[in-house]
Every structure is written in C-alpha cells, then in structure tokens.
Amino acid sequence: AQKITQTQPGMFVQEKEAVTLDCTYDTSDPSYGLFWYKQPSSGEMIFLIYQGSYDQQNATEGRYSLNFQKARKSANLVISASQLGDSAMYFCAMRVKAARQLTFGSGTQLTVLP
Amino acid sequence: DTGVSQDPRHKITKRGQNVTFRCDPISEHNRLYWYRQTLGQGPEFLTYFQNEAQLEKSRLLSDRFSAERPKGSFSTLEIQRTEQGDSAMYLCASSLDPTGAYGYTFGSGTRLTVV
C-alpha cells in the first residue's frame, strides 16, 4: 500500500519569501510519480508539479520546485517569492505504476502574510 | 475546452434521498476518476474509467454508490439512500497520459450536504 505523509497542518510565510512544504512517501514500487496540487477555497485541485521516480533532476515549474530526495523518500515543495495568491491548501500525491489512482496526503494550509 | 466541469456545484439533500452528480471531462481525455474529499482531508479514490469501462472501484464505493460513463464521454455518480456520512466534496478528474506525468485535471467538485 502507498502512503503520503504531510506533517505540517498549517504554515505561514511572509510575502516575497520562500517556503518549503514537507512531504514524505512510502511505497515498495520502484516506479512511481509524485505530484503537488494546490486547492484554493473554491475547491478546484490545481496541478503544480510532477516528479518521476527515475528522473535525475529535480522538477521545476516557474516559482515551484520539487526537492526530491529518493533515499529519504521525501518530495518537498519549494515555493519561491511567495505571493498573496499562493494562500491555499497544498496536497502531495503519489501514483505508483501498478495503480491507476492518486494517493493524497492530508494537506498543508499555507497562509501568505502581507 | 475549458477543463473538467462538474454539476451541480452544491447539493443539499435529506437523508435517505438519492442524488446524482455529473462530470464532463476534457474531451480528448479517455481516463476519468472520481474522488471523495471530507473536510480537512485529502481526496480519496472512488472509481476509475478508461473510456466507457469502469476498471477499478475502491472499497469506499459501497453498494449505494454507482458510477457510469456511457459512450466514454461524461460520467455520473449516483448515491442512493444518502446518509450523513456521505457529506463531502466529490471531485472528478480526467487524464490522457497513462502515467499522469502531465497531471490529472480536476473539476471544481460537487459539495454534498446530507441533512
């Protein structure tokens, strides 16, 4: 079975600063993908970034980067230069090759302070 | 194509009533997923369609739940004899890429409240 753990229920960051949201995962499948999603209060899940288990480099998408440490089974999301619009719930998720669905963590509520 | 559409956005129903939700995926996406999200939790997988075939169902999908995807286009999720524990956000997602590397596109969800 796969498991995603997000240990930070809530995080605060000052506008324009960087913030790291933690995610650890557990799976015995060597082939998997890791995802981060943003969920504003409107409810929609917005795809942010993807990292494959065999990818050699850490994924980056604009202000988002994924700090992938395979040996530690961690996939932390780094948001640089935080903006007020970044305030939302953030979910880490995983899909193993043998499965079709995503397994989500419990999320981190990020609040960006002006 | 503006993304994944879900209807209705909100539904309030009395316990024991039946409800049906609709999801219209991105037109070229052949994979469709239903998830349920309770307050303060991450989404939990319910069921998966590839084209019109329902290929996987979670144990969370009790006998009161049924999902269809006729002709491999839109999908419906029906809950019969609703219970208060069914109150949740029901999210639909679609994808084209089997690995999901390009992301699963989610709709805005249907929030169900059973009173």
mmCIF file of all heavy atoms in Angstrom, chain A residues 4-8 11 19-25 34-37 48-51 58-61 63-70 72-80 90-93 108:
data_model
loop_
_atom_site.group_PDB
_atom_site.id
_atom_site.type_symbol
_atom_site.label_atom_id
_atom_site.label_comp_id
_atom_site.label_asym_id
_atom_site.label_seq_id
_atom_site.Cartn_x
_atom_site.Cartn_y
_atom_site.Cartn_z
ATOM 1 N N ILE A 4 1.177 8.706 1.850
ATOM 2 C CA ILE A 4 1.756 10.045 1.766
ATOM 3 C C ILE A 4 1.558 10.723 3.116
ATOM 4 O O ILE A 4 0.442 10.717 3.657
ATOM 5 C CB ILE A 4 1.084 10.885 0.680
ATOM 6 C CG1 ILE A 4 1.324 10.300 -0.708
ATOM 7 C CG2 ILE A 4 1.548 12.324 0.755
ATOM 8 C CD1 ILE A 4 2.702 10.558 -1.274
ATOM 9 N N THR A 5 2.615 11.308 3.654
ATOM 10 C CA THR A 5 2.532 11.980 4.943
ATOM 11 C C THR A 5 2.933 13.442 4.797
ATOM 12 O O THR A 5 4.012 13.753 4.303
ATOM 13 C CB THR A 5 3.443 11.296 5.979
ATOM 14 O OG1 THR A 5 3.073 9.930 6.102
ATOM 15 C CG2 THR A 5 3.296 11.973 7.337
ATOM 16 N N GLN A 6 2.031 14.309 5.204
ATOM 17 C CA GLN A 6 2.317 15.743 5.259
ATOM 18 C C GLN A 6 2.157 16.149 6.715
ATOM 19 O O GLN A 6 1.058 16.122 7.255
ATOM 20 C CB GLN A 6 1.358 16.527 4.351
ATOM 21 C CG GLN A 6 1.549 16.213 2.891
ATOM 22 C CD GLN A 6 0.612 17.008 2.005
ATOM 23 O OE1 GLN A 6 -0.360 16.473 1.475
ATOM 24 N NE2 GLN A 6 0.925 18.284 1.813
ATOM 25 N N THR A 7 3.245 16.513 7.357
ATOM 26 C CA THR A 7 3.254 16.709 8.808
ATOM 27 C C THR A 7 2.947 18.141 9.231
ATOM 28 O O THR A 7 2.858 18.411 10.430
ATOM 29 C CB THR A 7 4.619 16.317 9.389
ATOM 30 O OG1 THR A 7 5.624 17.087 8.738
ATOM 31 C CG2 THR A 7 4.888 14.835 9.175
ATOM 32 N N GLN A 8 2.792 19.036 8.269
ATOM 33 C CA GLN A 8 2.538 20.443 8.600
ATOM 34 C C GLN A 8 1.080 20.773 8.284
ATOM 35 O O GLN A 8 0.749 21.037 7.150
ATOM 36 C CB GLN A 8 3.446 21.357 7.767
ATOM 37 C CG GLN A 8 4.921 21.055 7.876
ATOM 38 C CD GLN A 8 5.675 21.548 6.648
ATOM 39 O OE1 GLN A 8 5.230 21.314 5.523
ATOM 40 N NE2 GLN A 8 6.802 22.212 6.850
ATOM 41 N N MET A 11 0.999 26.408 7.656
ATOM 42 C CA MET A 11 2.269 27.121 7.529
ATOM 43 C C MET A 11 1.967 28.589 7.235
ATOM 44 O O MET A 11 0.994 28.900 6.524
ATOM 45 C CB MET A 11 3.102 26.549 6.380
ATOM 46 C CG MET A 11 3.703 25.196 6.657
ATOM 47 S SD MET A 11 5.165 25.326 7.684
ATOM 48 C CE MET A 11 6.345 26.005 6.508
ATOM 49 N N VAL A 19 9.159 29.365 0.832
ATOM 50 C CA VAL A 19 8.600 28.446 1.835
ATOM 51 C C VAL A 19 8.730 27.016 1.317
ATOM 52 O O VAL A 19 8.654 26.773 0.110
ATOM 53 C CB VAL A 19 7.118 28.792 2.131
ATOM 54 C CG1 VAL A 19 6.241 28.622 0.887
ATOM 55 C CG2 VAL A 19 6.575 27.974 3.292
ATOM 56 N N THR A 20 8.963 26.098 2.247
ATOM 57 C CA THR A 20 9.076 24.681 1.909
ATOM 58 C C THR A 20 7.963 23.910 2.601
ATOM 59 O O THR A 20 7.792 24.003 3.820
ATOM 60 C CB THR A 20 10.434 24.100 2.352
ATOM 61 O OG1 THR A 20 11.472 24.780 1.643
ATOM 62 C CG2 THR A 20 10.500 22.611 2.037
ATOM 63 N N LEU A 21 7.216 23.162 1.805
ATOM 64 C CA LEU A 21 6.154 22.304 2.330
ATOM 65 C C LEU A 21 6.635 20.860 2.279
ATOM 66 O O LEU A 21 7.069 20.388 1.226
ATOM 67 C CB LEU A 21 4.867 22.474 1.506
ATOM 68 C CG LEU A 21 4.363 23.911 1.348
ATOM 69 C CD1 LEU A 21 3.039 23.919 0.580
ATOM 70 C CD2 LEU A 21 4.206 24.588 2.688
ATOM 71 N N ASP A 22 6.546 20.176 3.406
ATOM 72 C CA ASP A 22 7.123 18.847 3.515
ATOM 73 C C ASP A 22 6.186 17.746 3.042
ATOM 74 O O ASP A 22 4.956 17.825 3.209
ATOM 75 C CB ASP A 22 7.509 18.564 4.977
ATOM 76 C CG ASP A 22 8.622 19.460 5.472
ATOM 77 O OD1 ASP A 22 9.335 20.055 4.629
ATOM 78 O OD2 ASP A 22 8.782 19.570 6.691
ATOM 79 N N CYS A 23 6.787 16.707 2.471
ATOM 80 C CA CYS A 23 6.039 15.536 2.026
ATOM 81 C C CYS A 23 6.967 14.329 2.089
ATOM 82 O O CYS A 23 8.059 14.359 1.525
ATOM 83 C CB CYS A 23 5.520 15.724 0.601
ATOM 84 S SG CYS A 23 4.789 14.237 -0.138
ATOM 85 N N THR A 24 6.538 13.299 2.784
ATOM 86 C CA THR A 24 7.253 12.033 2.727
ATOM 87 C C THR A 24 6.300 10.974 2.209
ATOM 88 O O THR A 24 5.078 11.091 2.360
ATOM 89 C CB THR A 24 7.812 11.608 4.095
ATOM 90 O OG1 THR A 24 6.723 11.509 5.031
ATOM 91 C CG2 THR A 24 8.826 12.589 4.606
ATOM 92 N N TYR A 25 6.852 9.954 1.588
ATOM 93 C CA TYR A 25 6.009 8.935 0.969
ATOM 94 C C TYR A 25 6.558 7.553 1.295
ATOM 95 O O TYR A 25 7.715 7.395 1.690
ATOM 96 C CB TYR A 25 5.933 9.158 -0.545
ATOM 97 C CG TYR A 25 7.269 9.087 -1.244
ATOM 98 C CD1 TYR A 25 7.736 7.894 -1.787
ATOM 99 C CD2 TYR A 25 8.072 10.219 -1.370
ATOM 100 C CE1 TYR A 25 8.964 7.823 -2.418
ATOM 101 C CE2 TYR A 25 9.303 10.164 -1.997
ATOM 102 C CZ TYR A 25 9.745 8.959 -2.520
ATOM 103 O OH TYR A 25 10.963 8.899 -3.142
ATOM 104 N N LEU A 34 5.341 11.527 -8.343
ATOM 105 C CA LEU A 34 4.950 12.371 -7.218
ATOM 106 C C LEU A 34 4.391 13.687 -7.752
ATOM 107 O O LEU A 34 4.914 14.254 -8.702
ATOM 108 C CB LEU A 34 6.145 12.636 -6.310
ATOM 109 C CG LEU A 34 6.686 11.373 -5.626
ATOM 110 C CD1 LEU A 34 8.123 11.545 -5.220
ATOM 111 C CD2 LEU A 34 5.819 10.999 -4.433
ATOM 112 N N PHE A 35 3.315 14.142 -7.156
ATOM 113 C CA PHE A 35 2.602 15.322 -7.630
ATOM 114 C C PHE A 35 2.357 16.280 -6.470
ATOM 115 O O PHE A 35 2.190 15.859 -5.323
ATOM 116 C CB PHE A 35 1.216 14.938 -8.184
ATOM 117 C CG PHE A 35 1.224 13.939 -9.297
ATOM 118 C CD1 PHE A 35 1.445 12.586 -9.051
ATOM 119 C CD2 PHE A 35 0.980 14.343 -10.598
ATOM 120 C CE1 PHE A 35 1.440 11.664 -10.071
ATOM 121 C CE2 PHE A 35 0.966 13.419 -11.632
ATOM 122 C CZ PHE A 35 1.190 12.077 -11.372
ATOM 123 N N TRP A 36 2.280 17.546 -6.812
ATOM 124 C CA TRP A 36 1.788 18.539 -5.873
ATOM 125 C C TRP A 36 0.600 19.265 -6.518
ATOM 126 O O TRP A 36 0.652 19.637 -7.696
ATOM 127 C CB TRP A 36 2.860 19.567 -5.510
ATOM 128 C CG TRP A 36 3.775 19.090 -4.419
ATOM 129 C CD1 TRP A 36 4.963 18.433 -4.555
ATOM 130 C CD2 TRP A 36 3.571 19.258 -3.016
ATOM 131 N NE1 TRP A 36 5.514 18.175 -3.318
ATOM 132 C CE2 TRP A 36 4.672 18.676 -2.359
ATOM 133 C CE3 TRP A 36 2.566 19.856 -2.239
ATOM 134 C CZ2 TRP A 36 4.807 18.666 -0.968
ATOM 135 C CZ3 TRP A 36 2.689 19.857 -0.860
ATOM 136 C CH2 TRP A 36 3.802 19.265 -0.232
ATOM 137 N N TYR A 37 -0.436 19.433 -5.702
ATOM 138 C CA TYR A 37 -1.635 20.149 -6.135
ATOM 139 C C TYR A 37 -1.928 21.273 -5.155
ATOM 140 O O TYR A 37 -1.664 21.169 -3.956
ATOM 141 C CB TYR A 37 -2.849 19.214 -6.184
ATOM 142 C CG TYR A 37 -2.896 18.335 -7.397
ATOM 143 C CD1 TYR A 37 -2.221 17.115 -7.419
ATOM 144 C CD2 TYR A 37 -3.605 18.717 -8.531
ATOM 145 C CE1 TYR A 37 -2.261 16.311 -8.542
ATOM 146 C CE2 TYR A 37 -3.651 17.911 -9.659
ATOM 147 C CZ TYR A 37 -2.969 16.716 -9.646
ATOM 148 O OH TYR A 37 -3.009 15.912 -10.763
ATOM 149 N N LEU A 48 0.400 21.436 -9.947
ATOM 150 C CA LEU A 48 1.544 22.336 -9.873
ATOM 151 C C LEU A 48 2.799 21.751 -10.499
ATOM 152 O O LEU A 48 3.459 22.394 -11.320
ATOM 153 C CB LEU A 48 1.856 22.687 -8.410
ATOM 154 C CG LEU A 48 0.793 23.445 -7.626
ATOM 155 C CD1 LEU A 48 1.246 23.647 -6.195
ATOM 156 C CD2 LEU A 48 0.477 24.773 -8.289
ATOM 157 N N ILE A 49 3.147 20.512 -10.106
ATOM 158 C CA ILE A 49 4.455 19.995 -10.488
ATOM 159 C C ILE A 49 4.466 18.478 -10.339
ATOM 160 O O ILE A 49 3.724 17.910 -9.525
ATOM 161 C CB ILE A 49 5.561 20.653 -9.620
ATOM 162 C CG1 ILE A 49 6.948 20.468 -10.218
ATOM 163 C CG2 ILE A 49 5.496 20.167 -8.170
ATOM 164 C CD1 ILE A 49 7.997 21.383 -9.589
ATOM 165 N N TYR A 50 5.308 17.839 -11.163
ATOM 166 C CA TYR A 50 5.410 16.378 -11.185
ATOM 167 C C TYR A 50 6.884 15.958 -11.152
ATOM 168 O O TYR A 50 7.738 16.596 -11.770
ATOM 169 C CB TYR A 50 4.756 15.844 -12.455
ATOM 170 C CG TYR A 50 5.062 14.386 -12.733
ATOM 171 C CD1 TYR A 50 4.310 13.388 -12.129
ATOM 172 C CD2 TYR A 50 6.096 14.021 -13.594
ATOM 173 C CE1 TYR A 50 4.587 12.049 -12.384
ATOM 174 C CE2 TYR A 50 6.380 12.690 -13.842
ATOM 175 C CZ TYR A 50 5.628 11.708 -13.238
ATOM 176 O OH TYR A 50 5.893 10.380 -13.475
ATOM 177 N N GLN A 51 7.142 14.862 -10.429
ATOM 178 C CA GLN A 51 8.480 14.282 -10.376
ATOM 179 C C GLN A 51 8.364 12.775 -10.555
ATOM 180 O O GLN A 51 7.651 12.117 -9.792
ATOM 181 C CB GLN A 51 9.142 14.576 -9.023
ATOM 182 C CG GLN A 51 10.523 14.004 -8.837
ATOM 183 C CD GLN A 51 11.616 14.888 -9.405
ATOM 184 O OE1 GLN A 51 11.604 16.110 -9.238
ATOM 185 N NE2 GLN A 51 12.588 14.293 -10.067
ATOM 186 N N ASN A 58 15.735 17.412 -10.193
ATOM 187 C CA ASN A 58 14.539 17.889 -9.509
ATOM 188 C C ASN A 58 13.682 18.702 -10.461
ATOM 189 O O ASN A 58 14.189 19.495 -11.262
ATOM 190 C CB ASN A 58 14.925 18.762 -8.306
ATOM 191 C CG ASN A 58 15.481 17.941 -7.160
ATOM 192 O OD1 ASN A 58 15.344 16.717 -7.135
ATOM 193 N ND2 ASN A 58 16.121 18.602 -6.213
ATOM 194 N N ALA A 59 12.373 18.503 -10.363
ATOM 195 C CA ALA A 59 11.454 19.214 -11.242
ATOM 196 C C ALA A 59 11.313 20.671 -10.826
ATOM 197 O O ALA A 59 11.369 21.000 -9.626
ATOM 198 C CB ALA A 59 10.085 18.540 -11.203
ATOM 199 N N THR A 60 11.147 21.530 -11.820
ATOM 200 C CA THR A 60 10.877 22.943 -11.563
ATOM 201 C C THR A 60 9.791 23.411 -12.520
ATOM 202 O O THR A 60 9.732 22.977 -13.683
ATOM 203 C CB THR A 60 12.129 23.825 -11.747
ATOM 204 O OG1 THR A 60 12.581 23.675 -13.099
ATOM 205 C CG2 THR A 60 13.237 23.428 -10.791
ATOM 206 N N GLU A 61 8.917 24.293 -12.012
ATOM 207 C CA GLU A 61 7.864 24.900 -12.824
ATOM 208 C C GLU A 61 7.673 26.318 -12.321
ATOM 209 O O GLU A 61 6.995 26.566 -11.338
ATOM 210 C CB GLU A 61 6.545 24.127 -12.700
ATOM 211 C CG GLU A 61 6.485 22.798 -13.358
ATOM 212 C CD GLU A 61 6.420 22.879 -14.883
ATOM 213 O OE1 GLU A 61 6.184 23.972 -15.421
ATOM 214 O OE2 GLU A 61 6.614 21.838 -15.533
ATOM 215 N N ARG A 63 7.831 29.318 -10.248
ATOM 216 C CA ARG A 63 8.226 29.555 -8.848
ATOM 217 C C ARG A 63 8.194 28.291 -7.998
ATOM 218 O O ARG A 63 8.522 28.324 -6.805
ATOM 219 C CB ARG A 63 7.311 30.623 -8.230
ATOM 220 C CG ARG A 63 7.437 32.010 -8.846
ATOM 221 C CD ARG A 63 6.614 33.052 -8.096
ATOM 222 N NE ARG A 63 5.203 32.737 -8.099
ATOM 223 C CZ ARG A 63 4.513 32.368 -7.016
ATOM 224 N NH1 ARG A 63 5.124 32.245 -5.833
ATOM 225 N NH2 ARG A 63 3.217 32.123 -7.099
ATOM 226 N N TYR A 64 7.766 27.181 -8.594
ATOM 227 C CA TYR A 64 7.669 25.925 -7.856
ATOM 228 C C TYR A 64 8.845 25.016 -8.196
ATOM 229 O O TYR A 64 9.202 24.866 -9.360
ATOM 230 C CB TYR A 64 6.373 25.190 -8.196
ATOM 231 C CG TYR A 64 5.120 25.995 -7.982
ATOM 232 C CD1 TYR A 64 4.389 26.479 -9.059
ATOM 233 C CD2 TYR A 64 4.668 26.276 -6.698
ATOM 234 C CE1 TYR A 64 3.238 27.218 -8.865
ATOM 235 C CE2 TYR A 64 3.518 27.020 -6.493
ATOM 236 C CZ TYR A 64 2.806 27.485 -7.580
ATOM 237 O OH TYR A 64 1.672 28.216 -7.383
ATOM 238 N N SER A 65 9.414 24.405 -7.195
ATOM 239 C CA SER A 65 10.411 23.380 -7.411
ATOM 240 C C SER A 65 10.178 22.250 -6.424
ATOM 241 O O SER A 65 9.605 22.455 -5.350
ATOM 242 C CB SER A 65 11.835 23.945 -7.267
ATOM 243 O OG SER A 65 12.029 24.455 -5.958
ATOM 244 N N LEU A 66 10.571 21.079 -6.842
ATOM 245 C CA LEU A 66 10.350 19.901 -6.007
ATOM 246 C C LEU A 66 11.724 19.399 -5.560
ATOM 247 O O LEU A 66 12.556 19.054 -6.403
ATOM 248 C CB LEU A 66 9.587 18.826 -6.805
ATOM 249 C CG LEU A 66 8.875 17.752 -6.001
ATOM 250 C CD1 LEU A 66 7.666 17.224 -6.766
ATOM 251 C CD2 LEU A 66 9.821 16.620 -5.666
ATOM 252 N N ASN A 67 11.932 19.360 -4.266
ATOM 253 C CA ASN A 67 13.183 18.862 -3.684
ATOM 254 C C ASN A 67 13.024 17.365 -3.444
ATOM 255 O O ASN A 67 12.475 16.941 -2.423
ATOM 256 C CB ASN A 67 13.491 19.613 -2.390
ATOM 257 C CG ASN A 67 14.834 19.210 -1.809
ATOM 258 O OD1 ASN A 67 15.553 18.381 -2.385
ATOM 259 N ND2 ASN A 67 15.188 19.792 -0.686
ATOM 260 N N PHE A 68 13.472 16.569 -4.418
ATOM 261 C CA PHE A 68 13.267 15.137 -4.408
ATOM 262 C C PHE A 68 14.484 14.449 -3.819
ATOM 263 O O PHE A 68 15.587 14.537 -4.377
ATOM 264 C CB PHE A 68 13.028 14.653 -5.841
ATOM 265 C CG PHE A 68 12.776 13.179 -5.991
ATOM 266 C CD1 PHE A 68 11.906 12.515 -5.145
ATOM 267 C CD2 PHE A 68 13.408 12.459 -7.002
ATOM 268 C CE1 PHE A 68 11.657 11.161 -5.303
ATOM 269 C CE2 PHE A 68 13.170 11.113 -7.167
ATOM 270 C CZ PHE A 68 12.295 10.452 -6.318
ATOM 271 N N GLN A 69 14.290 13.786 -2.675
ATOM 272 C CA GLN A 69 15.362 13.033 -2.042
ATOM 273 C C GLN A 69 14.895 11.587 -1.921
ATOM 274 O O GLN A 69 14.201 11.212 -0.967
ATOM 275 C CB GLN A 69 15.710 13.636 -0.677
ATOM 276 C CG GLN A 69 16.229 15.063 -0.772
ATOM 277 C CD GLN A 69 16.761 15.586 0.544
ATOM 278 O OE1 GLN A 69 17.464 14.889 1.273
ATOM 279 N NE2 GLN A 69 16.420 16.822 0.870
ATOM 280 N N LYS A 70 15.301 10.807 -2.920
ATOM 281 C CA LYS A 70 14.766 9.451 -3.064
ATOM 282 C C LYS A 70 15.123 8.561 -1.885
ATOM 283 O O LYS A 70 14.294 7.787 -1.415
ATOM 284 C CB LYS A 70 15.305 8.850 -4.367
ATOM 285 C CG LYS A 70 14.544 7.657 -4.880
ATOM 286 C CD LYS A 70 14.999 7.326 -6.295
ATOM 287 C CE LYS A 70 14.222 6.168 -6.860
ATOM 288 N NZ LYS A 70 14.626 5.891 -8.270
ATOM 289 N N ARG A 72 15.618 9.328 1.140
ATOM 290 C CA ARG A 72 14.827 9.730 2.305
ATOM 291 C C ARG A 72 13.333 9.611 2.049
ATOM 292 O O ARG A 72 12.534 9.855 2.952
ATOM 293 C CB ARG A 72 15.135 11.172 2.695
ATOM 294 C CG ARG A 72 16.536 11.400 3.207
ATOM 295 C CD ARG A 72 16.689 12.819 3.702
ATOM 296 N NE ARG A 72 17.984 13.044 4.316
ATOM 297 C CZ ARG A 72 18.341 14.176 4.911
ATOM 298 N NH1 ARG A 72 17.493 15.186 4.974
ATOM 299 N NH2 ARG A 72 19.529 14.293 5.447
ATOM 300 N N LYS A 73 12.959 9.292 0.830
ATOM 301 C CA LYS A 73 11.554 9.206 0.434
ATOM 302 C C LYS A 73 10.828 10.508 0.773
ATOM 303 O O LYS A 73 9.764 10.504 1.403
ATOM 304 C CB LYS A 73 10.877 7.998 1.076
ATOM 305 C CG LYS A 73 11.380 6.672 0.546
ATOM 306 C CD LYS A 73 10.534 5.500 0.989
ATOM 307 C CE LYS A 73 10.985 4.216 0.311
ATOM 308 N NZ LYS A 73 10.179 3.040 0.711
ATOM 309 N N SER A 74 11.443 11.592 0.357
ATOM 310 C CA SER A 74 10.796 12.881 0.569
ATOM 311 C C SER A 74 10.686 13.638 -0.744
ATOM 312 O O SER A 74 11.522 13.475 -1.645
ATOM 313 C CB SER A 74 11.548 13.716 1.609
ATOM 314 O OG SER A 74 12.745 14.224 1.069
ATOM 315 N N ALA A 75 9.664 14.456 -0.836
ATOM 316 C CA ALA A 75 9.377 15.211 -2.059
ATOM 317 C C ALA A 75 8.807 16.562 -1.653
ATOM 318 O O ALA A 75 7.621 16.831 -1.841
ATOM 319 C CB ALA A 75 8.398 14.450 -2.936
ATOM 320 N N ASN A 76 9.647 17.397 -1.110
ATOM 321 C CA ASN A 76 9.184 18.679 -0.581
ATOM 322 C C ASN A 76 8.968 19.693 -1.692
ATOM 323 O O ASN A 76 9.734 19.764 -2.654
ATOM 324 C CB ASN A 76 10.193 19.235 0.422
ATOM 325 C CG ASN A 76 10.376 18.320 1.611
ATOM 326 O OD1 ASN A 76 9.521 17.493 1.911
ATOM 327 N ND2 ASN A 76 11.503 18.465 2.304
ATOM 328 N N LEU A 77 7.938 20.492 -1.530
ATOM 329 C CA LEU A 77 7.637 21.556 -2.488
ATOM 330 C C LEU A 77 8.227 22.866 -1.987
ATOM 331 O O LEU A 77 8.008 23.235 -0.830
ATOM 332 C CB LEU A 77 6.124 21.727 -2.655
ATOM 333 C CG LEU A 77 5.671 22.856 -3.586
ATOM 334 C CD1 LEU A 77 6.001 22.524 -5.039
ATOM 335 C CD2 LEU A 77 4.180 23.128 -3.420
ATOM 336 N N VAL A 78 8.971 23.534 -2.848
ATOM 337 C CA VAL A 78 9.533 24.837 -2.517
ATOM 338 C C VAL A 78 8.843 25.886 -3.379
ATOM 339 O O VAL A 78 8.807 25.764 -4.607
ATOM 340 C CB VAL A 78 11.053 24.890 -2.735
ATOM 341 C CG1 VAL A 78 11.594 26.261 -2.377
ATOM 342 C CG2 VAL A 78 11.752 23.801 -1.924
ATOM 343 N N ILE A 79 8.270 26.872 -2.729
ATOM 344 C CA ILE A 79 7.656 27.997 -3.443
ATOM 345 C C ILE A 79 8.542 29.214 -3.190
ATOM 346 O O ILE A 79 8.758 29.617 -2.036
ATOM 347 C CB ILE A 79 6.225 28.291 -2.949
ATOM 348 C CG1 ILE A 79 5.359 27.040 -3.037
ATOM 349 C CG2 ILE A 79 5.602 29.419 -3.770
ATOM 350 C CD1 ILE A 79 3.958 27.214 -2.440
ATOM 351 N N SER A 80 9.054 29.763 -4.260
ATOM 352 C CA SER A 80 9.916 30.935 -4.108
ATOM 353 C C SER A 80 9.073 32.203 -4.260
ATOM 354 O O SER A 80 8.024 32.186 -4.898
ATOM 355 C CB SER A 80 11.029 30.921 -5.150
ATOM 356 O OG SER A 80 10.466 30.994 -6.443
ATOM 357 N N TYR A 90 -2.357 22.825 0.127
ATOM 358 C CA TYR A 90 -1.438 22.157 -0.783
ATOM 359 C C TYR A 90 -1.384 20.670 -0.451
ATOM 360 O O TYR A 90 -1.194 20.279 0.704
ATOM 361 C CB TYR A 90 -0.038 22.768 -0.678
ATOM 362 C CG TYR A 90 0.039 24.135 -1.302
ATOM 363 C CD1 TYR A 90 -0.414 25.253 -0.604
ATOM 364 C CD2 TYR A 90 0.523 24.313 -2.601
ATOM 365 C CE1 TYR A 90 -0.378 26.513 -1.180
ATOM 366 C CE2 TYR A 90 0.563 25.573 -3.174
ATOM 367 C CZ TYR A 90 0.112 26.659 -2.466
ATOM 368 O OH TYR A 90 0.143 27.906 -3.045
ATOM 369 N N PHE A 91 -1.561 19.866 -1.502
ATOM 370 C CA PHE A 91 -1.571 18.418 -1.333
ATOM 371 C C PHE A 91 -0.433 17.783 -2.109
ATOM 372 O O PHE A 91 -0.210 18.098 -3.283
ATOM 373 C CB PHE A 91 -2.887 17.822 -1.820
ATOM 374 C CG PHE A 91 -4.070 18.142 -0.944
ATOM 375 C CD1 PHE A 91 -4.918 19.184 -1.271
ATOM 376 C CD2 PHE A 91 -4.326 17.398 0.194
ATOM 377 C CE1 PHE A 91 -6.009 19.487 -0.475
ATOM 378 C CE2 PHE A 91 -5.416 17.693 0.997
ATOM 379 C CZ PHE A 91 -6.255 18.745 0.663
ATOM 380 N N CYS A 92 0.243 16.860 -1.441
ATOM 381 C CA CYS A 92 1.223 16.000 -2.082
ATOM 382 C C CYS A 92 0.499 14.697 -2.449
ATOM 383 O O CYS A 92 -0.367 14.227 -1.680
ATOM 384 C CB CYS A 92 2.374 15.732 -1.117
ATOM 385 S SG CYS A 92 3.686 14.676 -1.755
ATOM 386 N N ALA A 93 0.818 14.130 -3.599
ATOM 387 C CA ALA A 93 0.145 12.908 -4.030
ATOM 388 C C ALA A 93 1.134 12.015 -4.767
ATOM 389 O O ALA A 93 2.160 12.468 -5.274
ATOM 390 C CB ALA A 93 -1.052 13.231 -4.932
ATOM 391 N N THR A 108 -1.425 20.660 3.552
ATOM 392 C CA THR A 108 -0.865 21.750 4.354
ATOM 393 C C THR A 108 -1.561 23.043 3.951
ATOM 394 O O THR A 108 -1.590 23.379 2.764
ATOM 395 C CB THR A 108 0.651 21.898 4.137
ATOM 396 O OG1 THR A 108 1.319 20.729 4.581
ATOM 397 C CG2 THR A 108 1.190 23.118 4.881
#
